[in-house]
C-alpha cells in the first residue's frame, strides 16, 4: 500500500477524528471489531517457516478473510495456555488483577499518540486480554460476567489480539508511569505467546528467528559472507584512514568474544557503527574474535516466546565456551541487551566457565557484570575514555550536531543512560538533548521495534514513530541537529526510515561510529572524510 | 449504563440497609452478624488472593529501570529508581506506596497542528489520589476510637489534629471534606475526560459510589441526624470484644452506613481494590536491578532447550567455512 506523504499524514494525525484529537468513538470498545485492511497488519508467517520452528498449525492463511483456519479446539488451547502462563508468571497475575484504570498510562504510548486508536492505550491493550481472564478465571467474572468487565473468548477477540499485540513494541514506557508498574509489554509478550499456540503469527519475526537459529544471524548470512562483509568494511576503513584492521573469526583462545547485531555487519547505517568497533579494537589492540556461529546479538525470540528466546540466546554462551574466551563484549543493540540483562543468566547461565570481565587496557573490573560476564560496548568505551586510553579528536565530528536517542530497552530494562552520553560528549563537540519528557526513562520508541519494522505496515510505523520524530524535529529546529545517535541496531534501521519521512535532513548513527570518526589511529593518513566517505568540516576543498 | 448500573446497585444497597434496619431482628443482622461475616470474608479473601499471587513464581528479574543503573564507579547511579540493593528497593517501594511516586511523574500529551506533540505536567491525579487515600486512612484510624477503650493516644491525637479548625459542634473534621472532594474529583475525572470515560467499567464506578455512600452516611450521622454516639460505641466496642449487643435507639442511618461498609469489605478481595496489596508485589517495582551481577533462578527453566549446536552448524557450512578461511573443528 502506498504510504501518504508526510505532510498529508501530518494533517491526518492532527485533524482526522481520533481519540487524540478529541473525537470520542460512538461505540463501547468491546463493540468495535478489529478490521484488517491492506497496510494495517503485518503478513502472516509462511507455512514452511512455521514448520521449521515446529510451531503449531502451519498453513496458508489470510488475516483479511474470516476463516483463519484455526484448529477446531482453538479456544480451549488459548484458555489452557493462559492458565499455564498465570501459573508461571506472577507478573501476569498481578497485572491482570491490579489495574484500576486510572488512565495514567493512556497517553504514554507512542502507538496511541500517533494513531489515536483507543485500543492503543496501554490500559485497553491489556483489557483485551484481561476481559477474557476475568470471564474465565475470576469469581467476579464468573458470577457477573459483563458487569464485571468479563468477555468470552471469541474469534473477534482473537482478531483484536492479533491486531493490537502487534501494535505494541514492548517498549515499557507505559510501565514507568503506572502506579503499580503494570508493564503492558509483559502482557503483549503473553498475548503473542498465546497467539502462537494457535498458529497466529507474523513472518517478519519468525523468518529472522529461523535464520538466526540456522545460520547464526537473522539475515541468514552464511559464514563466509559474514566474514567477507566485515572484510569489505576493513577495506573501506583502510581507504579512509590508511589503517588495516585484521579481525579474526571463530578464533579459539581469544580473550574476548564480540557479539553485535548482524545488521551492523551488512546494512547502512549500521555498517558505519561496525567500522567504529573495528577501529576501536584496533586502536587499543584488543585480543578479540568475531563468531560466525553466534553472529546475531538481536534475539527475535524475545518477540516470539520464552522457549525461542532461550534457544537463540543459548548460542552466545555455547560459543564463548567452545572458543574458550574469558568474557563477552556486546555491541550496540537494544533488545539484545534486554535479553542479556534480564534473561540470559537465568535461562542459560551460570556462565562459570567465563571470568568476571576485566578491561585488559585499563584493568577495570566490571563488577556489574560479575555473573553474566557480558559488558556493553558503551560501558567499555566510557571506561577507556575515562582512563585516557583513547586518542581522540572530536573536531572530526564537527560536521555533526548530534542528539541522543535512548533506545527503550537499554533505558527502561537496564538503566544504561549515562555511558553513551559520556562517550558522545567526548567524541563530539556538538551535542544537544531532546526535550526532557522524551529522553532517558521517558524515551520514545522508534515505533517499529519487536519485529514490526516491516514495510507492509509503513504508515503505522510512521504514526507510531511520530513522538520520537517530533522531539528530533524540535532539536533540529532549535539547534540545527543533523545526527540522531543511538545504541540500537533496530533503531538505526527504523529511525532512518522515520527521519527520512518526518525529518529528511537528519541522519542516524551508532555511538561507535562517532567514536571511530574521532579516533586518532597510530600511523594513519590525514583523514579527509568520515566513515561514510562524507567530507569532514574544514576538509571540503 | 456503565455509570447507571453501579449507581443503582449502590442505591439498592442503601435501600436494603434502610429496610433491614426497621424489620425485627434486622438491626442485629446488620449490626452484629454481617460485620463479623464481612470482616471474615475480607480477611480471608484478601489473604487468599495474596497467596494466589505468591504461588506463581517470578521467573525473571524484570524491574522497570527509571534512572541510571549501577555501573562504573564514577557514574552516578540513581539508587532509588534503579536500585541495585535491597535498601534501594525499600526506598523505591516506600516512595511508591506512601507518595505515589510514579503518578507524580504523570504528564499530559496534546497533539497540535504540524503535527506537533506537546507535553505538560499533570499532577492532579497524583494530588487527588493522594488526598483520597490519606483521608481514607485517617478516617479509618479515627474510627478506632469506637473499637477501643481506652482510646489509644495516637487516635486521640489524630482526631485533635483533624479537627483543629474547631468549626462548629461537633467538631468538624477536615478530612471528611477533603475525602468527599477527592472522591468527587476522581468521579468527575472519569466522566469528563473522554479517554478515561472510555476505559471505565462499571467496576470502576461501583466502588466510587459505594465509598461516597459510606462517607455521606457517616457525615450525615455525625452532623445532621446526630446518632447516639454512646449506644453506637457500646455496639462497636461489643463487636471488638466479641460480646456485641444493641442497646438503646440507634438511627437507621447508622445501619445503612454499616451495611455499606460491609458491602465494601466483601467486595474488596474480588475486585480491583486489591491493588492495595498488589502494589507491594509488582515485579517491575519491587525487584533489584542486579541481573548481571547475581544470577536469578527460574524454577521452571527447561534445561532441555538447547541452541542449534555448533556441530550441526559446522556440518552444514563446513566447505564454505574452509573456503573462507574460517577455522573448523573437523576437517
Ligand atoms: S496506569 Fe496502570 S493502573 Fe492506571 S490504567 Fe494504566 S495500567 Fe491501569
Ligand atoms: S509497551 Fe510501549 S508500545 Fe506497548 S503499550 Fe506500553 S507504551 Fe505502548
Amino acid at each position: 500500500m502506498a504510504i501518504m506523504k508526510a505532510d498529508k499524514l501530518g494533517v491526518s494525525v492532527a485533524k482526522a477524528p481520533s481519540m487524540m484529537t478529541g473525537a470520542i468513538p460512538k461505540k463501547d470498545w468491546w463493540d468495535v471489531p478489529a478490521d484488517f485492511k491492506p497496510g494495517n497488519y503485518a503478513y502472516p508467517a509462511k507455512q514452511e517457516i512455521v514448520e521449521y520452528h515446529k510451531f503449531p498449525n502451519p498453513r496458508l492463511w489470510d488475516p483479511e478473510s474470516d476463516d483463519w483456519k484455526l484448529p477446531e479446539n482453538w479456544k480451549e488451547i488459548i484458555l489452557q495456555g493462559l492458565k499455564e502462563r498465570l501459573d508461571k508468571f506472577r507478573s501476569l497475575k498481578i497485572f491482570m488483577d491490579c489495574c484500576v484504570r486510572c488512565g495514567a498510562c493512556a497517553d504514554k504510548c507512542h502507538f496511541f499518540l500517533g494513531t489515536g486508536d483507543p485500543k492503543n492505550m496501554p490500559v485497553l491493550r491489556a483489557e483485551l486480554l484481561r476481559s477474557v481472564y476475568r470471564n474465565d478465571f475470576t469469581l467476579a467474572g464468573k458470577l457477573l460476567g459483563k458487569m464485571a468487565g468479563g468477555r468470552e473468548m471469541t474469534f473477534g477477540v482473537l482478531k483484536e489480539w492479533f491486531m493490537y499485540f502487534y501494535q505494541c513494541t514492548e517498549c515499557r514506557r507505559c510501565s514507568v508511569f503506572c502506579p503499580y508498574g503494570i508493564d503492558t509489554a509483559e502482557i503483549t509478550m503473553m498475548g503473542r505467546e498465546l497467539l502462537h499456540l494457535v498458529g497466529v503469527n507474523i513472518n517478519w519475526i519468525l523468518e529472522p528467528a529461523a535464520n538466526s537459529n540456522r545460520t547464526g544471524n537473522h539475515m541468514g548470512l552464511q559464514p563466509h559472507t559474514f566474514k567477507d562483509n566485515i572484510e569489505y568494511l576493513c577495506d573501506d576503513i583502510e581507504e579512509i584512514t590508511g589503517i588495516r584492521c585484521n579481525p579474526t573469526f571463530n578464533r579459539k583462545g581469544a580473550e574476548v568474544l564480540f557479539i553485535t547485531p548482524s545488521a551492523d555487519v551488512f546494512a547502512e547505517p549500521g555498517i558505519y557503527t561496525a567500522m567504529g568497533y573495528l577501529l576501536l579494537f584496533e586502536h587499543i589492540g584488543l585480543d578479540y574474535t568475531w563468531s560466525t556461529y553466534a553472529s546475531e546479538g538481536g534475539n527475535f525470540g524475545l518477540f516470539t516466546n520464552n522457549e525461542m528466546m532461550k534457544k537463540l540466546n543459548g548460542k552466545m554462551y555455547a560459543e564463548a565456551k567452545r572458543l574458550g574466551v574469558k568474557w563477552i563484549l556486546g555491541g550496540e543493540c537494544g533488545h539484545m541487551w534486554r535479553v542479556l540483562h534480564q534473561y540470559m543468566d537465568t535461562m542459560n547461565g551460570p556462565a562459570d566457565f567465563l571470568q568476571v570481565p576485566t578491561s585488559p587496557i585499563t584493568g577495570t573490573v566490571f563488577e556489574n557484570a560479575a555473573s553474566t560476564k557480558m559488558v556493553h560496548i558503551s560501558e567499555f568505551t566510557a571506561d577507556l575514555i575515562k582512563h585516557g586510553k583513547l586518542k581522540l579528536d572530536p573536531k572530526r565530528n564537527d560536521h555533526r550536531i548530534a542528539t541522543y536517542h535512548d533506545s527503550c530497552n537499554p533505558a527502561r530494562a537496564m538503566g544504561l543512560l549515562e555511558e553513551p552520553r559520556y562517550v558522545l560528549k567526548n567524541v563530539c563537540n556538538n551535542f544537544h538533548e531532546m526535550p526532557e519528557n522524551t529522553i532517558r526513562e521517558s524515551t520514545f520508541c522508534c515505533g517499529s521495534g519487536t519485529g514490526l519494522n516491516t514495510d507492509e505496515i509503513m504508515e503505522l510505523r510512521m504514526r507510531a514513530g511520530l513522538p520520537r520524530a517530533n522531539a528530533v524535529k524540535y532539536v533540529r529546529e532549535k539547534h540545527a541537529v543533523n545526527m540522531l545517535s543511538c545504541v540500537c541496531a533496530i533503531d538505526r534501521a527504523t529511525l532512518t526510515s522515520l527521519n527520512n519521512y518526518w525529518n529528511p535532513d537528519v541522519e542516524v548513527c551508532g555511538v561507535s561510529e562517532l567514536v571511530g570518526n574521532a579516533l586518532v589511529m597510530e600511523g594513519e593518513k590525514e583523514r579527509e572524510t568520515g566513515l561514510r566517505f562524507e567530507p569532514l568540516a574544514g576538509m571540503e576543498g | 449504563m456503565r455509570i447507571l448500573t453501579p449507581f443503582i446497585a449502590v442505591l439498592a444497597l442503601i435501600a436494603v440497609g434502610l429496610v433491614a434496619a426497621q424489620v425485627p431482628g434486622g438491626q442485629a443482622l446488620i449490626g452484629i452478624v454481617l460485620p463479623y461475616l464481612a470482616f471474615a470474608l475480607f480477611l480471608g479473601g484478601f489473604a487468599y488472593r495474596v497467596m494466589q499471587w505468591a504461588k506463581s513464581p517470578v521467573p525473571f528479574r524484570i524491574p522497570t529501570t527509571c534512572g541510571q543503573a549501577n555501573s562504573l564507579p564514577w557514574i552516578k547511579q540513581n539508587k532509588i529508581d534503579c536500585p541495585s540493593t535491597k535498601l534501594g528497593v525499600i526506598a523505591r517501594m516506600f516512595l511508591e506506596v506512601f507518595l505515589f511516586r510514579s503518578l507524580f511523574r504523570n504528564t499530559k500529551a496534546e497533539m497540535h497542528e504540524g503535527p506537533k506533540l506537546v507535553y505538560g505536567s499533570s499532577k492532579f491525579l497524583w494530588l487527588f489520589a493522594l488526598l483520597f487515600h490519606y483521608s481514607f486512612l485517617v478516617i479509618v484510624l479515627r474510627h478506632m476510637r469506637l473499637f477501643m477503650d481506652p482510646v489509644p493516644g495516637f487516635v486521640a491525637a489524630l482526631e485533635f489534629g483533624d479537627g483543629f479548625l474547631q468549626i462548629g459542634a461537633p467538631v468538624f473534621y477536615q478530612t471528611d471534606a477533603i475525602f468527599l472532594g477527592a472522591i468527587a474529583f476522581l468521579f468527575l475525572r472519569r466522566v469528563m475526560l473522554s479517554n478515561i470515560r472510555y476505559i471505565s467499567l462499571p467496576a470502576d464506578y461501583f466502588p466510587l459510589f459505594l465509598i461516597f455512600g459510606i462517607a455521606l452516611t457517616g457525615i450525615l450521622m455525625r452532623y445532621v441526624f446526630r446518632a447516639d454516639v454512646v449506644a453506637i460505641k457500646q455496639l462497636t466496642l461489643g463487636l471488638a470484644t466479641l460480646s456485641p449487643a444493641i442497646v438503646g435507639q440507634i438511627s437507621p442511618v447508622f445501619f445503612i452506613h454499616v451495611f455499606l461498609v460491609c458491602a465494601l469489605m466483601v467486595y474488596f478481595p474480588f475486585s480491583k481494590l486489591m491493588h492495595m496489596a498488589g502494589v507491594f508485589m509488582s515485579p517491575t517495582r519491587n525487584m533489584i536491578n542486579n541481573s548481571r551481577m547475581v544470577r536469578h533462578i527460574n524454577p521452571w527453566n527447561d534445561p532441555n532447550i538447547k541452541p542449534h549446536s555448533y556441530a550441526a552448524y559446522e556440518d552444514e557450512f563446513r566447505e564454505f567455512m574452509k573456503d573462507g578461511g574460517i577455522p573448523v573443528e573437523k576437517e
Side-chain angles (χ1 to χ4, degrees), chain A residues 10 13-15 19-20 24-25 27-30 86-91 93-95 97-104 107-108 113 118 121 123-124 127 134 139-140 147 172 175-181 183 186 213-215 222-224 227 249-250 252 292-293 306-307 310-311 314-315 322 337 341-343 345-347 349-350 366-372 374 379 382 386 411-415 417-419 422 437-438 441 444 466-467 470, chain B residues 2 5-6 49 52-76 81-82 96 102-103 105-120 125 189-190 194-204 270-272 274-275 278-279 281-285 289 291-298 300-303 305-310 313-314 316-317 320-321 324-327 329:
Chain A
V13 167
K15 287 207 172 139
M19 210 161 220
M20 265 318 281
I24 307 152
K27 286 195 200 153
D28 286 330
W29 60 262
W30 48 79
L86 288 164
D87 292 339
K88 281 164 107 177
F89 294 92
R90 187 183 302 166
S91 52
K93 269 191 187 164
I94 301 249
F95 296 165
D97 284 332
C98 289
C99 173
V100 296
R101 283 170 299 282
C102 68
D107 58 354
K108 306 304 179 286
L113 296 175
M121 290 190 263
V123 41
L124 272 200
E127 287 287 314
R134 272 196 220 104
L139 188 64
M147 274 308 295
R172 304 186 114 198
S175 156
V176 168
F177 297 90
C178 172
Y180 318 112
D183 182 3
E186 286 281 309
N213 189 56
R214 190 174 76 94
T215 63
Q222 298 184 340
H224 55 296
K227 179 177 178 229
F249 296 86
N250 298 11
K252 287 193 174 178
T292 59
Y293 163 71
N306 266 287
E307 292 73 28
K310 177 176 159 105
K311 191 171 163 184
K315 280 189 172 179
R322 184 181 77 88
W337 270 98
H341 185 75
Q342 294 192 330
Y343 302 103
D345 207 14
T346 303
M347 288 180 154
F366 291 90
E367 294 290 353
N368 60 338
S371 187
T372 51
M374 266 199 88
E379 295 170 337
K386 181 76 180 173
R412 281 187 287 261
M414 200 181 164
L417 306 175
E418 292 304 333
E419 295 88 340
Y422 179 81
N437 289 314
T438 71
E441 68 267 17
F444 270 111
L466 177 64
N470 180 63
Chain B
R2 303 189 196 186
T5 324
R49 290 299 293 280
Q52 281 299 310
W53 287 337
K55 249 176 48 193
S56 294
V58 183
F60 303 109
R61 202 188 288 273
I62 49 165
T64 309
T65 54
C66 298
Q68 172 63 39
N70 168 30
S71 77
L72 296 159
W74 47 273
I75 287 180
K76 193 162 171 279
D81 287 328
C82 195
E96 203 56 75
S102 295
L103 270 188
R105 271 187 249 266
N106 200 15
T107 52
K108 204 170 112 222
E110 263 172 29
M111 180 69 72
H112 293 258
E113 268 175 61
K116 204 171 148 202
L117 270 162
V118 278
Y119 311 92
L125 177 59
R189 178 177 176 275
R190 257 189 210 289
S194 59
N195 53 353
I196 310 296
R197 183 169 68 238
Y198 200 66
I199 61 176
S200 295
L201 298 174
D204 297 309
F270 305 101
S271 68
K272 69 167 194 176
M274 281 304 287
H275 68 266
V279 66
M281 294 181 79
S282 175
T284 52
R285 289 284 188 271
N289 180 34
S291 20
R292 276 200 289 156
M293 238 179 298
V294 183
R295 184 156 186 256
H296 182 83
I297 303 298
N298 170 3
W300 48 261
N301 189 33
D302 182 357
I305 299 174
K306 296 259 192 288
H308 179 67
S309 72
Y310 175 79
Y313 171 84
E314 192 183 296
E316 185 174 352
F317 298 111
F320 294 125
M321 292 171 77
I326 300 170
E329 303 244 313

Side-chain angles (χ1 to χ4, degrees), chain B residues 177-228:
Chain B
I178 297 174
F179 191 49
L180 284 182
I183 302 174
F185 174 86
L186 294 179
F187 172 72
L188 286 177
R189 178 177 176 275
R190 257 189 210 289
V191 187
M192 315 259 285
L193 299 184
S194 59
N195 53 353
I196 310 296
R197 183 169 68 238
Y198 200 66
I199 61 176
S200 295
L201 298 174
D204 297 309
Y205 293 106
F206 178 69
L208 274 178
F209 291 143
L210 189 58
I211 293 170
F212 192 78
I214 292 171
L216 206 65
T217 46
I219 288 173
L220 283 179
M221 200 178 355
R222 183 173 165 83
Y223 304 106
V224 183
F225 296 122
R226 304 305 304 271
D228 182 348

